[in-house]
Each structure stands twice: as C-alpha cells, then as structure tokens.
Amino acid sequence: NLELADKVNLSPTPCARRVKILEDSGVIKQHVTILDPEVLGLSLTAMISVTMDKHTADRFDKFESSVYLLPEVMECYVVTGQDSDFLIKVLVRDMRHYEEFLLRRLTKIEGVSGVHSSFVLRQPINKITLPL
C-alpha cells in the first residue's frame, strides 16, 4: 500500500480506502503472486482444443466442473469459429506428464469426443496488465 500510495501521490490511508472501494465494486477481483512455472519444473505448455460429443448445457457444465479440478489446467475457454468447443491451457512437467494427463484424465471426462494439442515453443508476449 505504501508503494502504491507513493506512485499515485496519495497518503497511505486514502489510498487503502480507494483500493477497498475497487475491491468491493469488483474492479479488483483478487491479489496474486505470480510464480515462474519453469523454476517449479513445469516446462511444457500445451494448448488443447477439446471437442464434445453433444452440445448441451449439462454436458458443457460437467466438462467445465471436471477440468476445474485438474491442477494442470490453467485456463479454459468456450470457443466458437473452429471445430472444437473448448480451448484449455495446460502446464505440465514434460511429455510423459502430458501423456498421463491426456490419456488418463482429460479424455476420460464424459462427453469428450476429440482433442487436438499444440505445444508452446516460447512465449514472446505474456502480459498481465489490461489495455486501459
């Protein structure tokens, strides 16, 4: 709070009050610490397109609740404009970990009828700030 207050030219108490207002209104969703996956041994990132067998709310809800429980899944999007229904971003240690994740967990989720994986070679842009 002291560092933020200094950057926005406020004293700490009014700065803390304004931050609280932003939190209460939902503008600030959460505070996080960003860890380096490489340092923690998670060196392989996969983007996986998932196709479902049925396009029903129930089927999609079950898939979403199932992948939420998989710690390797970092992001999940419902997508349109391509052959898949979901796009998920997965962080794993290596190809062996990926194979175990894919064959023993992801494809076992009811309704998954197909997957297509792409592997990240490098990430030249990784922004966490919004384009405001």
Side-chain angles (χ1 to χ4, degrees):
N1 185 56
L2 293 174
E3 186 179 329
L4 177 60
D6 186 50
K7 286 187 177 191
V8 296
N9 296 318
L10 283 174
S11 61
T13 302
C15 182
R17 274 196 298 265
R18 289 182 186 188
V19 167
K20 178 75 171 127
I21 290 168
L22 292 171
E23 291 169 341
D24 291 345
S25 69
V27 173
I28 296 176
K29 290 174 60 172
Q30 62 184 328
H31 298 271
V32 298
T33 298
I34 299 173
L35 305 175
D36 186 335
E38 294 267 340
V39 172
L40 297 170
L42 299 168
S43 58
L44 184 62
T45 302
M47 305 300 280
I48 308 171
S49 298
V50 179
T51 305
M52 302 300 289
D53 63 351
K54 296 179 188 171
H55 292 116
T56 64
D58 182 57
R59 185 68 95 202
F60 277 45
D61 289 345
K62 285 181 181 176
F63 177 82
E64 291 168 25
S65 61
S66 295
V67 296
Y68 182 82
L69 298 174
L70 301 174
E72 295 89 347
V73 176
M74 303 307 298
E75 299 174 37
C76 177
Y77 303 93
V78 177
V79 295
T80 186
Q82 54 184 300
D83 292 335
S84 59
D85 300 303
F86 290 93
L87 179 63
I88 61 174
K89 177 182 175 182
V90 173
L91 288 178
V92 292
R93 291 182 306 277
D94 52 27
M95 195 56 79
R96 183 172 298 188
H97 185 184
Y98 173 75
E99 179 183 22
E100 183 273 329
F101 170 82
L102 181 72
L103 299 179
R104 302 206 185 279
R105 294 192 280 147
L106 182 63
T107 57
K108 300 287 185 185
I109 296 172
E110 183 181 359
V112 172
S113 63
V115 297
H116 181 270
S117 303
S118 298
F119 297 96
V120 174
L121 297 176
R122 62 187 177 93
Q123 187 178 24
I125 298 172
N126 183 20
K127 294 181 182 179
I128 58 170
T129 57
L130 296 178
L132 301 176

